[in-house]
Structures are given as structure tokens and as C-alpha cells.
Amino acid sequence: MLESDTSKLSKKELNIIQNYTEDLFKTVREPLLVLDRHRNVVGLNSNLKKKFKINGEFEERVSVFEFNNGQLDTPEFRDILNYLQTEGNTVTERDIQVVLPQKRKRGFTVNASVLQLPDENSIILLSFKKLKNIGDLSRQEKVYNRLVENILSNAPAAICILRGQEHTFEVANEHYIELIGHRDIIGKTVKEAIPEAESQGFIELLDHVYSTGEPYIGNETPLKLKVGKDDFKNSHLNFVYQPTRNKKGKIDGIFVHVVDVSEQVVARKNVEDSEARLRSVINTVPAIIWITDTDGQSAFLNKNWYSYTGQNNEDAKGMGWLDATHPDDRKKAEFAFLDAHNQKKSYSISFRLRNKQGEYRWVLDKASPKFDDDGNYEGMIGTVINVHEERLKENLVREKDHRLQGIVKEATVATAIYTGREMNIELANDAMIKLWGKDDSVIGTPLHKALPELDGQPFLGLLRNVLETGEIYWGKEDKVDLMIDGEMQTGYYNFTYKPLRDKNGEIYGILNMAIDVTESVTSKMLLKESEFHFRQMADLMPGMVSKTDAKGDDIYFNKNWLDFTGKGSKYLQEVGWESFIHPDEKETFLKAWEDCLNTGCNLEMQLRLKNKEGKYIWHLTRCEAVKEDDGSVKMWIAANTEIDKIKEEEKRKEEFLKMVSHELKTPVTSIKGYVQLLLTLLKKQKEAAEASKLPLQPSLERINHQVTRLTRLISEILDLSRIRENQLELKSEEFNLNELLAETIQDINYTNTQHKIALESEVQCQIIADRDRIGQVVINFVMNAIKYSPGSQEINVKISREDKDKVRVSVKDFGIGIGQENHKKIFKRFYRVGVKSEETYSGFGIGLYLANEIIERHNGEIQLNSELGKGSEFSFILNATQITS
Ligand code: ADP
């Protein structure tokens, strides 16, 4: 291009041109401007000076675009020059706008032509005809201009129009001027007016739009504008570069439409920043955070969700989160979410969530609805935290709890669990409900409501204390009044209040277990009462009574004991009453007493006890066991009755009898001798004395009978004394027992004709014994059989084998018999059955005593088989040396 040719005309060339133009200036009146081929100003006339308001000299050879402050550097003018120098030599009637000082625009119509001068020089002649006013413009242009002006001034955007290739500001509205900081821009190129735009790529963009005709839309494009010397202002612009075209369709400028969106961008940036910060916070918290939209679809899931589940954005879309829940929990989780979402309410649920390793872990999902400032529902926001360990523990506890509940329910011991300060009955088994006298409905209610009768009783206070202190309370035989069947009933209970602690050791409830001991307490109370009565009675009794526990320790002595010994109860308990027993009886007593303690059998014994004066007094001692229902000994009652006087009398009686029998024995023996002699003589002379009618024989026989009886009695009395004095001597000889029996029966038959005594010998046997004493036993048995069988004559004596080398002799009658209770007693000295029988049947009650002593001393055994009213069978068993059938 010519203008880019830097070389300027030589002085000589210039002179030629100037001479030439001076002539022109003289003839042409219109404002005229002459340029050389380099588009430098080489001449102008005075009219042009006037129109362009040029004062003084103009700078020679200055580029026309720099002329007069660059007023002619407009796109249209450049177009004119370009056209002149490239396409044709003449331009006619082209309108251009020139901005004069004070920014006043002035329109000119330009006519131009290129004049060829000699020397191959050329000049450009430009004439400017001033457009008088807007009225000179065509009507269409006027409408257009007004419209443009209107748009420009009223548009909310910053608008300007750039003309020509250099993007010269042709027009700009107030917003635009303001946007670029009130710079003087009209008539200047963008590069000149906003030099900082170049480095930011805007000129390049404009060039591109201008050259290609493609509009450009800038979106929030940052622009740094210089506001001070070194100060810059950052702006963000939404803008459009729209190419404009001339009538021929050629691009002649760019329409620029700018909206400063700096504020929004900053605000949004801030929001974005804080959102980013929030996001980073959300992503760094250890929980999963999620947000759903108003349709319940996933709107956001933080990083933790993806890293935990291994899901990607696609998986998690919509309600994709449900795919990560455990199949068994899916429905539950879905329902909980949708329910909360639909009702716009908070919820909390735990379910199993699959991690990326494919394992399911328990999580707690908690969410709340989100509302905007106007209260419109925006969706839900929730967190998911891992509670796996806790849940497992909880499950364990729950399982344990379940098991515990099962155990409690089944337990026969009345059991209940109370929780919380209100003592809610969490659990009560049937046994407890029965104990309370209530029904199932009490479960779940506070204890004081379920059992209002506890008001005024200490239990609610005790429970509260356990809850506060954590100390177990043991109730022992505590009295409890309960309303049972509409009646207040008193019971006694052994029970515990045990605090229950959770895994953190906090007390959350109380376990109550109770056993009804009412029966035992009341019977104890009764016992106490009866004990009291017993003591009263014991004190009133004439004898000395003591009580001994099952082990043999004395626990009670009545008043007589204290009086007798002159000692206190404590002393007696310490030494035991056996310490008062005479040394002669003590050993026997202690042995028998030990037997009693071992076997539970009663004891009866005569012994001497030392009184407070140190004198031994005879007592009949009876120790009786008091037994439990199961037969075990509960305690012993010992009664000591003074028998000293009886004993004395007995002694005297014995001594007397001893004396009497001694005295009697000799004469009676001789009487017997004589009577026998008489009888023998009489038999011999029987025939001779046949004539005699005297009842001599019966009389004598009776004498003999009586004497026999007398003799026997006397010898028994003597034996008694001998036994007492340990002087009963036994002979030892072998003899035939069958013979002895036959002889004895024969003897008895001899004097006893009324009874029929049969002897049955199943065996023949030899024994070693005192023949007379054994005979004495047989006589005693048979005589008793006769004596106590008034209504029956039959008596059977039998000798039989008892064992391999033992023989039994039994005497059986069918008389009055002996009651079971007397079976043992009849073998005691002087014991006779019943007072009345004493009157009916004569005797002393020593026959069986002696028989027993004799047989025992032969190491034999006496047995009795008898029933009252049905007869008796007395037998003895002895060792035999020989037994033959
Ligand atoms: P006694 O016959 O002299 O009284 P015993 O020692 O021989 O003395 O007998 C003691 C008691 O035993 C008798 O008093 C009598 O009550 C009872 N008795 C002995 N034998 C019989 C019998 N065969 N039948 C019924 N009672 C008997």
C-alpha cells in the first residue's frame, strides 16, 4: 500500500507539486486537500482550514490520517483512499463523518481524483463539501440515524461501532464511554484508545471478525482496563462483535455490544468459591453426605460415597444408591427415604451398605428436608455414617437381651426388670406377675402406677437408691403389702434389686428377683410363739427339762434345772448337763446318747445327777427326738424326773424280798420234800388204802402245786437279786433239748390238767447250756401261756431248726395276746401289762425279765409274735451242737 511507503517526496518533487496546486487553489473555492502518493498532506486551501477549524500552519508532509488530530482517520475515508489508489481514479459524492474538536461530528461529501503529474508523480485531490445539516441526509438515513441514536442511548448495554480495518470508534454510547473509563475515543482506533486491549487479544479478535465476517460472541471474557497510571480494573464482559456491511455488502465496520457482567461473575465466582470450599469440606468430613432434589433423585453425593461404594456418577444417578444397599434392607431403606421425602420430614434408619470390596457394613442414614428462604421444599440432605461395630455389638446385646428375656420369662423365680427413673416395668415374668397379683397389662407401665399400694412402703425409695448408688439391695424376709384379688395381703420375700448397666457402665435399669418366703416366715413366727409356750410350760413342769439341738448342743434348760444345779443357763449350756451325771452312769449314758444322736432313737435311763449341794439324786432320764416331716431330727427334748424316792423304795422292796424269799425258801423246800414223800407213799399204798375215802391225794397235789409255784417265785426273786448283783451263775453242760422240753411239759401237765400242752418236735437237738435255767425259761413261757389264756386250752410247744446250727423253741397260745406297744416293755423288770390285768392275773412281772437275761447270757435271742386278743407266741433261739431232723 502506498501509505505504508515510508519514503517521502523530495523537496524538489514537493515544489513541483506545490506550484501545481497553488494554481488549483486559486480556482477551486471548495475546501480542497492535496495528498501525495504516500497519502501525506502536501497542500490545502483556506476554505478547508476554515471548515476543519485549523488555526495556523499545518504540518507539511504529515500523513493524512494524522492530519488535524487524525480527524480523517475514519474507515470511510480510508475506504475512499484505498478505492482511489487501487480500483479507480475518481470518487464522487462519498459521505464521510469527521469529528471536529469538542467532539462535534460533521458530515462532508467527498469528491476525489488522482491526478497524474509529469515525472510519473501523482497527487490525490480531495474536495470536501460540507453537508449542511441532517436534512441533507436521505430520509431513510435519518430514520436509521435516529434509530441508532435511540438504541445507543437507551440500550442498557455498552455499544459502539468501529469503522474500517483499524477499528476506529465511530460512535459509542454513554455506557460504553463509562465502561472504558471516560476516555476520549471517538475517531481513535481501538489500539489507540484502549492500548491494553491488544495484549489481551481483542484487536486480534476484531481483525478476525472484520476479515472473516464471522461474528464473535464473548462470554464472561475477562478484560483488564487501565484506570490509573498503574492501576487496572478487572472486568468480565459478555459481548458481541457483529460485522457491519456497506451498501455493497462489504464489511465496513464492527458493531460492538458489551454487557459488563463483572458483578455477576464475581458474585458467581464467590458462590462458586464458597461452594468449592463447602464441597471440599463436605468431601473431607468422614461421613457420606448426600443431597436429593425435589423429585427425590440424587443431586449430590460427596466423594466419600463414591470411594466407599465404588459407584460412579452414572451408578449413583436417580436412586442408584439403593443398588448399594443390602437386598434384605433395600425395601426398608427405600421406604424410609420416600416416606420422609413425601412428607418432607426428617428420618433416621440403619441398614447394610455394600462397600467396594463387596462387604456389607451397617450404616446409619440420617436426613432432613431442605427448604429455601421462602419455605419451598428443595429436597433432602443426609449423612451416612458407619455404625457397623456398634451395630454388631448392639445386635449381640440385643441377642443377649433376647436370651435374657427368654430366660427371665421361663424362670420360675419371680423376675422383673425396671428401667428409667420412672421404674418402667420393662419385663416381668409370669411368676412375678402372679406374685404381684396383677396381670400382663402392668408391663410397660411405671412400677408406682402398676402397684400403687407400694406408696408408703420402702421399696420405691430403695429402687431409686439402687439406681443412684449402683449398690445391690438384698431384701431378707422383707414384709410387703400387696393388693391381691382386691384385698391387701401381707407377704414376706427374699429379693434383690440389682443395677443393670449398659456397655458404657451407665445404670439403665434394675433387675428384681424375688422369692416368696411367707410360709417359712409365718411358720417361724408360729414356732417362736410355740417356743415361747414351750418354755413357759417347761418352766412350770416339775421335772428338769432341757432342749438340745440336732447336733447334741444344749440350747435350753428350764427353771428346775437352774434351781437344781444352782447354776445359770449359760454355764449349763457350756458344760452340758451330762457333766452332772454320776461317774458310774456317765459312761453308759454317753454311749447311749451317742447312739441316739446317730440313730435318732429315743433314750431312757436311770441315772444320778449332782444337785447344788453336791449330792447325787436318782433321775429317770428320757431323751426324745423331735423330728422334721422328713424324719430327720430337729432337736431333742430331755426330761429328768427325780426317782430317788421310788428308787429307794424299790431297793427296799428288793432287799425285803430277798430276805423274805431266803427265809421262805428253806421251809418251803422241806414242805415240798415232805409232800412229795407223802405222795409217793400214798401211791404205793394206793390199793391198800383203797378203802379210805379221804380226799388226801387232791389236797396234797394242790399243796404241791402251790409249793412249786412258791418255790419258783422265790427262786425268781433270788435270781433277780443275783442279776442285780451280777451273781447269776450259769452252768454249762450238753444235753438233749427235746428231752428237757418233754420233761418240763410232763411236769407242768402233772400239775395242770386243764390245758392241753402239745409238743411238736421237728428236730432233735443237743445244746450246751444251763439245763435248769433253760428249763426255767420254758416253764415261764408255758406258765404264762396258761395264765394268759383263760378262754383257750390249747398250747403248742414246738422245737424247730432256725438256722444251720440254731434251734428255735416256741410256745404258742391262743389267749389274750399282747399289744404291739408292750412287746418290748414286758421284758423289763416288774413290768406288767395294764393295771386291770394285774388284778386278774397274779404275778410280779419278773418272769420274762429273767427269761430274757438267761437267754441273752446264753448268746441267744428271745422273740415275741403276738397280737392283742389273738394269742401270743414266745420263742427263744439258741446255738445247737447237733440238730437232726
Ligand atoms: P408275770 O406273768 O408274773 O406278770 P412276766 O414277766 O412273766 O410276769 O410277764 C410279764 C407280763 O407279760 C405279764 O404281766 C403279762 O402281762 C404279759 N404276758 C406274758 N406272757 C403272756 C402271754 N402268753 N399272753 C399274754 N400276756 C403275756
Side-chain angles (χ1 to χ4, degrees):
M1 286 206 283
L2 282 174
E3 66 191 64
S4 61
D5 190 345
T6 50
S7 64
K8 293 198 172 181
L9 294 179
S10 63
K11 203 86 184 146
K12 190 177 152 208
E13 280 177 311
L14 187 65
N15 277 334
I16 295 168
I17 292 170
Q18 279 178 344
N19 289 334
Y20 181 76
T21 53
E22 253 169 46
D23 294 335
L24 267 176
F25 293 155
K26 283 175 193 157
T27 50
V28 181
R29 293 281 112 202
E30 281 178 352
L32 196 66
L33 187 67
V34 184
L35 308 181
D36 64 14
R37 65 174 190 277
H38 301 300
R39 299 182 182 182
N40 295 324
V41 178
V42 289
L44 72 172
N45 64 1
S46 53
N47 252 347
L48 188 107
K49 273 192 184 170
K50 220 160 78 207
K51 293 284 181 245
F52 278 70
K53 298 202 171 21
I54 298 166
N55 301 314
E57 286 303 307
F58 71 95
E59 202 187 336
E60 244 175 38
R61 286 185 289 174
V62 70
S63 158
V64 73
F65 300 117
E66 286 162 26
F67 170 76
N68 202 21
N69 295 325
Q71 279 168 336
L72 289 171
D73 189 4
T74 70
E76 297 96 328
F77 189 71
R78 281 179 184 266
D79 262 6
I80 292 170
L81 292 183
N82 286 342
Y83 181 77
L84 276 177
Q85 290 184 308
T86 55
E87 289 171 44
N89 284 333
T90 316
V91 168
T92 47
E93 299 285 315
R94 287 276 281 272
D95 290 345
I96 62 161
Q97 296 243 346
V98 174
V99 181
L100 298 174
Q102 283 100 46
K103 287 190 189 115
R104 285 181 51 215
K105 281 186 204 161
R106 179 63 47 92
F108 292 93
T109 304
V110 179
N111 289 296
S113 57
V114 179
L115 279 180
Q116 288 297 325
L117 296 185
D119 318 330
E120 294 182 6
N121 249 328
S122 65
I123 53 167
I124 302 165
L125 287 177
L126 293 152
S127 81
F128 296 84
K129 194 172 77 182
K130 190 184 157 200
L131 287 171
K132 276 203 185 100
N133 50 40
I134 208 87
D136 294 338
L137 297 172
S138 68
R139 206 183 116 75
Q140 208 181 343
E141 266 175 322
K142 271 188 244 165
V143 173
Y144 167 77
N145 280 350
R146 213 171 298 129
L147 190 71
V148 169
E149 228 165 83
N150 229 336
I151 290 172
L152 290 188
S153 58
N154 290 327
I159 294 172
C160 68
I161 295 170
L162 304 172
R163 263 309 150 215
Q165 273 180 325
E166 296 296 318
H167 319 302
T168 309
F169 285 102
E170 185 182 73
V171 278
N173 70 354
E174 278 304 311
H175 290 297
Y176 192 90
I177 305 288
E178 199 186 316
L179 175 76
I180 53 143
H182 299 281
R183 302 184 202 198
D184 191 6
I185 54 166
I186 300 299
K188 290 184 183 170
T189 62
V190 173
K191 213 189 281 184
E192 289 159 353
I194 315 170
E196 64 266 36
E198 185 169 16
S199 63
Q200 297 179 58
F202 286 92
I203 308 290
E204 210 175 305
L205 269 178
L206 288 167
D207 289 345
H208 182 79
V209 173
Y210 197 91
S211 61
T212 62
E214 289 167 11
Y216 179 85
I217 296 171
N219 201 8
E220 293 179 1
T221 310
L223 169 67
K224 245 184 179 178
L225 280 173
K226 207 166 174 183
V227 288
K229 208 174 155 243
D230 294 313
D231 278 352
F232 286 91
K233 181 185 155 200
N234 281 314
S235 298
H236 282 89
L237 309 173
N238 280 352
F239 64 90
V240 180
Y241 288 164
Q242 175 72 48
T244 61
R245 291 171 194 273
N246 60 18
K247 284 175 203 156
K248 292 179 185 159
K250 204 164 173 257
I251 291 167
D252 62 353
I254 295 172
F255 175 83
V256 179
H257 180 280
V258 187
V259 177
D260 186 352
V261 289
S262 306
E263 258 175 51
Q264 289 99 297
V265 170
V266 169
R268 209 195 55 238
K269 275 258 159 67
N270 282 344
V271 170
E272 276 171 7
D273 280 357
S274 69
E275 215 172 278
R277 272 201 300 279
L278 185 69
R279 248 164 231 260
S280 83
V281 170
I282 284 176
N283 281 329
T284 46
V285 293
I288 289 167
I289 294 175
W290 58 262
I291 297 171
T292 53
D293 61 17
T294 48
D295 297 327
Q297 305 293 300
S298 172
F300 168 77
L301 280 160
N302 74 347
K303 237 167 56 188
N304 292 334
W305 170 265
Y306 299 105
S307 60
Y308 176 87
T309 58
Q311 279 193 341
N312 57 29
N313 280 337
E314 201 53 40
D315 300 333
K317 256 192 187 157
M319 289 187 79
W321 62 275
L322 279 172
D323 295 339
T325 60
H326 192 283
D328 292 350
D329 298 342
R330 188 185 172 117
K331 275 224 169 78
K332 175 177 85 165
E334 184 178 11
F335 176 79
F337 167 75
L338 288 177
D339 186 50
H341 167 76
N342 291 333
Q343 298 194 44
K344 305 179 177 54
K345 60 164 198 187
S346 299
Y347 80 99
S348 168
I349 185 185
S350 67
F351 53 78
R352 281 157 291 178
L353 189 65
R354 193 182 53 228
N355 65 15
K356 62 172 160 232
Q357 286 82 29
E359 303 154 350
Y360 287 98
R361 321 235 102 207
W362 281 101
V363 296
L364 179 69
D365 185 8
K366 260 180 141 173
S368 308
K370 211 156 49 96
F371 299 97
D372 66 12
D373 292 345
D374 300 327
N376 298 316
Y377 178 62
E378 289 189 322
M380 301 286 290
I381 176 158
T383 57
V384 178
I385 53 169
N386 188 342
V387 291
H388 194 66
E389 309 305 322
E390 288 87 339
R391 182 63 192 251
L392 287 188
K393 268 185 221 152
E394 211 175 276
N395 276 355
L396 243 143
V397 169
R398 206 171 288 164
E399 203 176 300
K400 263 194 204 158
D401 233 43
H402 188 74
R403 276 209 300 261
L404 178 79
Q405 290 196 6
I407 292 167
V408 167
K409 269 238 115 37
E410 304 276 290
T412 45
V413 177
T415 309
I417 291 174
Y418 316 123
T419 55
R421 280 208 65 77
E422 279 287 283
M423 299 294 162
N424 269 311
I425 302 169
E426 187 79 25
L427 200 117
N429 66 0
D430 294 347
M432 185 58 99
I433 287 172
K434 197 170 153 221
L435 184 150
W436 287 336
K438 306 287 183 293
D439 58 41
D440 274 358
S441 64
V442 296
I443 293 174
T445 61
L447 191 60
H448 68 90
K449 281 200 182 133
L451 286 86
E453 61 265 38
L454 292 184
D455 187 30
Q457 299 190 55
F459 309 105
L460 293 172
L462 289 171
L463 282 166
R464 228 165 281 135
N465 196 47
V466 174
L467 208 62
E468 276 158 20
T469 63
E471 281 166 23
I472 302 177
Y473 177 81
W474 303 87
K476 191 150 193 301
E477 294 178 0
D478 282 17
K479 179 169 169 271
V480 186
D481 290 325
L482 289 168
M483 189 64 90
I484 296 168
D485 300 333
E487 243 177 75
M488 203 63 146
Q489 296 187 19
T490 298
Y492 295 87
Y493 302 92
N494 284 349
F495 64 91
T496 51
Y497 289 155
K498 189 174 175 299
L500 295 173
R501 293 169 191 276
D502 61 19
K503 61 176 188 292
N504 300 322
E506 302 283 332
I507 299 170
Y508 70 90
I510 290 172
L511 173 71
N512 175 16
M513 295 178 98
I515 295 168
D516 188 346
V517 290
T518 309
E519 220 169 277
S520 114
V521 171
T522 42
S523 63
K524 250 195 235 170
M525 278 158 65
L526 275 171
L527 198 73
K528 251 190 204 160
E529 213 174 301
S530 69
E531 172 96 11
F532 177 71
H533 288 151
F534 162 77
R535 281 172 194 242
Q536 251 184 348
M537 247 165 63
D539 281 346
L540 288 173
M541 266 164 63
M544 299 195 293
V545 180
S546 61
K547 209 166 90 175
T548 307
D549 67 16
K551 289 180 286 173
D553 292 329
D554 297 323
I555 48 176
Y556 169 75
F557 293 91
N558 75 344
K559 194 166 169 294
N560 287 338
W561 256 112
L562 311 184
D563 290 348
F564 178 78
T565 57
K567 306 280 185 201
S569 173
K570 204 153 179 220
Y571 176 83
L572 292 175
Q573 278 177 26
E574 267 167 34
V575 300
W577 65 266
E578 59 272 22
S579 61
F580 294 87
I581 300 173
H582 191 282
D584 283 0
E585 288 96 43
K586 194 167 179 176
E587 204 185 320
T588 323
F589 169 79
L590 287 178
K591 215 173 143 267
W593 177 227
E594 202 183 305
D595 274 0
C596 289
L597 288 176
N598 290 338
T599 60
C601 287
N602 294 341
L603 178 149
E604 187 178 305
M605 179 173 176
Q606 291 178 6
L607 43 76
R608 279 163 291 178
L609 293 168
K610 193 160 77 177
N611 70 6
K612 57 184 164 199
E613 279 103 30
K615 208 177 143 204
Y616 283 100
I617 310 284
W618 277 103
H619 281 83
L620 173 67
T621 296
R622 281 212 175 98
C623 297
E624 290 243 6
V626 179
K627 294 184 176 172
E628 301 273 15
D629 289 346
D630 65 359
S632 62
V633 175
K634 192 169 165 187
M635 60 178 173
W636 297 88
I637 303 284
N640 296 280
T641 317
E642 200 189 309
I643 52 163
D644 215 45
K645 280 180 195 131
I646 303 167
K647 205 72 183 164
E648 281 288 301
E649 271 171 26
E650 195 182 298
K651 207 172 157 193
R652 270 205 298 277
K653 184 173 150 190
E654 264 175 41
E655 272 166 9
F656 166 77
L657 285 172
K658 196 174 157 189
M659 186 190 71
V660 166
S661 51
H662 250 295
E663 290 303 310
L664 285 178
K665 202 188 172 186
T666 327
V668 169
T669 314
S670 63
I671 290 170
K672 189 173 158 62
Y674 281 114
V675 170
Q676 275 179 333
L677 181 70
L678 273 172
L679 279 170
T680 331
L681 285 173
L682 206 68
K683 261 185 188 164
K684 278 181 185 168
Q685 292 174 3
K686 205 178 175 184
E687 273 157 40
E690 213 173 5
S692 173
K693 301 279 184 251
L694 283 171
L696 197 56
Q697 194 175 343
S699 313
L700 279 172
E701 275 173 1
R702 197 153 298 158
I703 291 168
N704 190 36
H705 176 67
Q706 288 303 327
V707 170
T708 310
R709 208 172 142 235
L710 190 61
T711 317
R712 200 159 57 84
L713 267 172
I714 291 163
S715 38
E716 278 180 355
I717 291 166
L718 276 174
D719 285 345
L720 199 65
S721 310
R722 284 192 193 108
I723 289 169
R724 294 276 302 160
E725 285 153 19
N726 246 339
Q727 284 170 357
L728 185 74
E729 278 170 21
L730 295 178
K731 283 178 239 149
S732 182
E733 55 178 317
E734 185 168 16
F735 61 92
N736 184 295
L737 189 57
N738 301 67
E739 277 170 19
L740 174 68
L741 286 178
E743 272 171 32
T744 311
I745 290 167
Q746 201 181 352
D747 275 355
I748 296 169
N749 272 339
Y750 191 65
T751 48
N752 245 292
T753 46
Q754 289 190 348
H755 285 80
K756 200 173 134 259
I757 304 164
L759 173 64
E760 184 189 351
S761 294
E762 283 185 5
V763 290
Q764 289 289 325
C765 81
Q766 290 282 116
I767 61 166
I768 298 173
D770 187 324
R771 196 175 191 273
D772 288 343
R773 292 286 176 198
I774 298 298
Q776 188 183 335
V777 174
V778 176
I779 289 167
N780 179 264
F781 280 7
V782 177
M783 292 310 284
N784 276 348
I786 292 169
K787 191 156 67 174
Y788 300 107
S789 310
S792 152
Q793 277 82 46
E794 197 184 339
I795 292 163
N796 297 326
V797 179
K798 189 162 117 182
I799 177 162
S800 56
R801 185 196 288 268
E802 174 65 14
D803 210 341
K804 195 173 150 237
D805 49 6
K806 282 195 169 91
V807 67
R808 171 192 284 266
V809 174
S810 58
V811 178
K812 188 171 182 176
D813 66 57
F814 302 90
I816 59 169
I818 306 157
Q820 187 69 32
E821 68 281 6
N822 288 316
H823 280 199
K824 271 194 180 148
K825 292 179 184 166
I826 52 170
F827 292 97
K828 291 189 173 166
R829 255 188 321 163
F830 306 127
Y831 189 88
R832 311 200 67 235
V833 177
V835 188
K836 275 181 192 162
S837 51
E838 200 173 13
E839 288 161 3
T840 321
Y841 310 102
S842 61
F844 285 112
I846 49 172
L848 284 178
Y849 171 73
L850 285 175
N852 195 34
E853 283 289 325
I854 291 164
I855 296 299
E856 270 188 8
R857 280 169 198 235
H858 277 92
N859 296 323
E861 191 189 332
I862 283 195
Q863 285 183 354
L864 168 60
N865 186 10
S866 176
E867 225 179 293
L868 196 63
K870 288 194 179 168
S872 314
E873 184 180 30
F874 283 89
S875 29
F876 61 81
I877 298 157
L878 287 173
N879 286 326
T881 47
Q882 194 193 334
I883 307 176
T884 47
S885 306

